Every structure is written in structure tokens, then in C-alpha cells.
């Protein structure tokens, strides 16, 4: 048994041979009548009583005049038929290398945001540095907002970069230790970088709702940010999620 491209199953009997007749078959009038009848049906099978779902002009669409009758002739703004596929290529779908790639699986650049949460001194910055290195293998322009440690002047940041990010990939990363106007800064740099890393989100002083609007606006920019966790398991600093 195998499955073909149209999802129809075909069965084959194994070990059974058709029986051969000992006598030569002579065509009778009945056989001729049946053969002519089958031929007639075959010639007319595409001209009568063809079900609507088999019509040649039934094609997937994004709505409008050719929408299925169940949805009417028009769709509300922002809606498309589920059979419509706007992804015409795989350019924005990718997978990181190594163990991190196995952990995250297949990623799509569109509105991609990765959030790392954990207790203080749990190794979040170390992991994010490793994550940044893997993204630098795929992308050439990365902004790193090291707001917790203050940038490369911090020996902790400098040592973490040297441990986790190759020298070649470090040339693809622009680092800052602080921003004056968080919202304005993020909006101004979002389209200049492929990836923006923020350590940590609380230092921006923004609410999550505001950040979600930024992510939607700059949908082709990848965001990686750390959330500091308090002792009760919530976000430290009073940022609402």
C-alpha cells in the first residue's frame, strides 16, 4: 500500500495471479452491447451532473467575487480565505545552528520576539550572548542594548562577549550601555538593524503593551530581550504583561 500525491490510497494484492481460461472467448452480442454502453458513458462523464466542487474554475482565493458561497461575496476588512498563502518564498524562515537551533526549531522573521525570563544571577545574560552569537551567524547587523551592565566598559559584559561570541561575529554587533529616550531610540534604530538585543527590558521603562506596538510596527526586526524575575515569579520593576 502507498499513498499518492492526491491522498488517495491504492491497494495491491500480492501473491494472487488471474486465472487463465482454457477456451478462447468469443464476443457475444451482450458483450458488444456492454462495451458500447461503457464507451458511451465514458464520453459523456464530463458533461452531465458534474458536482460544483469539481468545476475547473474553483480555485483558492483571498476573497471577493469568487469567494465560496458560505462566506458570501465579500469579506470583512483584514480577513482572507484560509486557503490563501501569502508566503511565496522561504527567505524569512530559518533555523539557527547547534543546540540552540534544536531548542528553538524553525523560526520566521516576521514579528519574531524571543523573551528570556529568570531569577537574578541565573545566567540569562550568558545565554543571551550565546543566542546573539547564533543570530550573528545568520544576520550582519545586530544592536545590543546592555542596559544592566552599562556596555563594554563593564568587565562582565566584555568577558561574556569573549566567552560566547566569536571575534568575527563581534564585528557585526553594535553595543550601547544606555539610551536617553527609550521609545524614541527603539523606533529610530529598529529599521537599521536585523536584530535588537535588550538586557534588560525593565531598564527601558516601557510597558509590554507599548513594546508590542513597536514589534508590530517594525515587523521585520527580530527582538531578543531579558525579563528580570522577582522572588514571586513576576516581572521585576512593575512592568505589566
Amino acid at each position: 500500500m502507498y499513498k499518492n500525491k492526491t491522498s488517495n490510497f491504492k491497494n495491491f494484492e500480492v501473491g494472487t495471479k488471474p486465472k487463465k481460461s482454457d477456451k478462447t472467448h468469443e464476443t457475444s452480442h451482450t458483450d458488444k452491447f456492454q462495451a458500447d454502453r461503457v464507451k458511451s458513458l465514458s464520453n459523456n462523464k464530463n458533461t452531465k451532473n458534474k458536482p460544483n466542487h469539481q468545476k475547473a474554475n474553483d480555485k483558492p482565493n483571498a476573497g471577493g467575487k469568487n469567494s465560496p458561497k458560505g462566506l458570501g461575496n465579500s469579506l470583512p476588512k483584514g480577513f482572507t480565505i484560509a486557503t490563501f498563502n501569502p508566503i511565496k518564498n522561504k527567505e524569512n524562515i530559518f533555523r539557527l545552528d547547534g543546540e540552540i537551533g534544536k531548542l528553538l526549531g524553525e523560526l520566521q522573521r516576521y514579528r519574531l520576539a524571543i523573551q528570556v525570563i529568570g531569577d537574578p544571577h541565573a545566567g540569562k545574560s550568558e545565554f543571551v550572548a550565546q543566542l546573539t552569537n547564533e543570530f550573528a551567524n545568520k544576520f550582519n547587523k545586530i544592536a545590543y542594548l546592555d542596559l544592566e551592565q552599562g556596555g563594554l566598559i563593564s568587565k562582565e559584559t566584555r568577558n561574556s562577549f569573549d566567552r560566547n561570541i566569536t571575534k568575527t561575529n563581534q564585528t557585526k554587533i553594535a553595543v550601547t550601555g544606555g539610551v536617553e529616550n527609550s521609545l524614541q531610540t527603539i523606533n529610530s534604530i529598529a529599521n537599521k538593524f536585523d536584530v535588537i538585543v535588550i538586557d534588560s527590558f525593565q531598564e527601558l521603562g516601557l510597558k509590554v503593551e507599548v513594546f508590542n506596538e513597536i514589534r508590530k510596527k517594525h515587523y521585520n526586526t527580530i527582538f531578543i530581550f531579558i525579563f528580570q524575575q522577582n522572588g514571586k515569579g513576576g516581572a521585576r520593576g512593575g512592568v505589566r504583561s
Side-chain angles (χ1 to χ4, degrees):
M1 177 182 288
Y2 73 91
K3 190 175 182 182
N4 66 14
K5 293 182 179 179
T6 57
S7 298
N8 294 320
F9 287 95
K10 294 185 177 181
N11 297 303
F12 296 90
E13 292 185 17
V14 180
T16 302
K17 296 183 179 180
K19 295 181 180 179
K20 295 183 179 180
S21 176
D22 294 333
K23 297 182 179 180
T24 303
H25 176 72
E26 296 181 0
T27 304
S28 64
H29 293 291
T30 303
D31 293 333
K32 188 176 185 302
F33 172 77
Q34 292 293 348
D36 291 340
R37 186 170 181 269
V38 169
K39 183 178 179 181
S40 176
L41 290 174
S42 177
N43 292 334
N44 295 313
K45 66 180 181 179
N46 294 321
T47 60
K48 294 182 179 180
N49 300 324
K50 190 172 184 179
N52 290 333
H53 68 275
Q54 293 180 355
K55 291 182 180 179
N57 61 354
D58 282 350
K59 298 179 180 179
N61 60 80
K65 295 181 179 179
N66 294 323
S67 297
K69 292 183 179 179
L71 292 174
N73 293 326
S74 62
L75 296 173
K77 184 178 179 180
F79 285 81
T80 55
I81 301 298
T83 52
F84 178 65
N85 184 8
I87 304 175
K88 296 181 179 180
N89 56 62
K90 296 287 185 178
E91 291 180 2
N92 291 325
I93 298 177
F94 63 96
R95 184 185 294 267
L96 299 177
D97 299 327
E99 294 301 317
I100 290 180
K102 294 179 182 178
L103 174 67
L104 297 179
E106 193 174 68
L107 301 172
Q108 183 179 14
R109 185 168 181 170
Y110 179 73
R111 290 187 181 181
L112 177 59
I114 298 175
Q115 176 179 310
V116 180
I117 303 176
D119 296 327
H121 311 296
K124 298 182 300 299
S125 295
E126 196 83 355
F127 173 74
V128 167
Q130 296 170 12
L131 187 59
T132 301
N133 184 60
E134 294 301 334
F135 272 95
N137 287 331
K138 300 287 184 182
F139 302 96
N140 294 320
K141 298 179 180 179
I142 299 176
Y144 200 108
L145 281 62
D146 186 40
L147 307 180
E148 283 281 337
Q149 299 295 337
L152 295 175
I153 196 173
S154 166
K155 68 179 182 64
E156 297 296 335
T157 299
R158 178 70 268 167
N159 291 339
S160 177
F161 274 33
D162 289 339
R163 282 193 303 270
N164 300 296
I165 304 175
T166 65
K167 290 297 183 182
T168 299
N169 284 344
Q170 286 185 30
T171 65
K172 304 176 183 180
I173 303 170
V175 185
T176 183
V179 292
E180 294 182 0
N181 186 313
S182 300
L183 183 58
Q184 182 178 345
T185 299
I186 297 297
N187 276 316
S188 65
I189 70 173
N191 291 331
K192 298 178 181 179
F193 293 94
D194 300 309
V195 183
I196 296 179
V197 183
I198 303 171
D199 183 3
S200 64
F201 182 82
Q202 278 83 351
E203 294 295 325
L204 290 175
L206 300 175
K207 295 179 179 179
V208 175
E209 290 85 349
V210 176
F211 182 76
N212 282 336
E213 291 303 314
I214 296 173
R215 184 171 62 91
K216 292 176 182 178
K217 180 179 179 181
H218 305 286
Y219 56 84
N220 207 38
T221 302
I222 299 169
F223 290 93
I224 302 171
F225 53 92
I226 290 176
F227 262 108
Q228 299 290 354
Q229 198 172 46
N230 58 30
K232 297 180 180 179
R236 199 179 74 189
V239 177
R240 293 190 295 116
S241 60

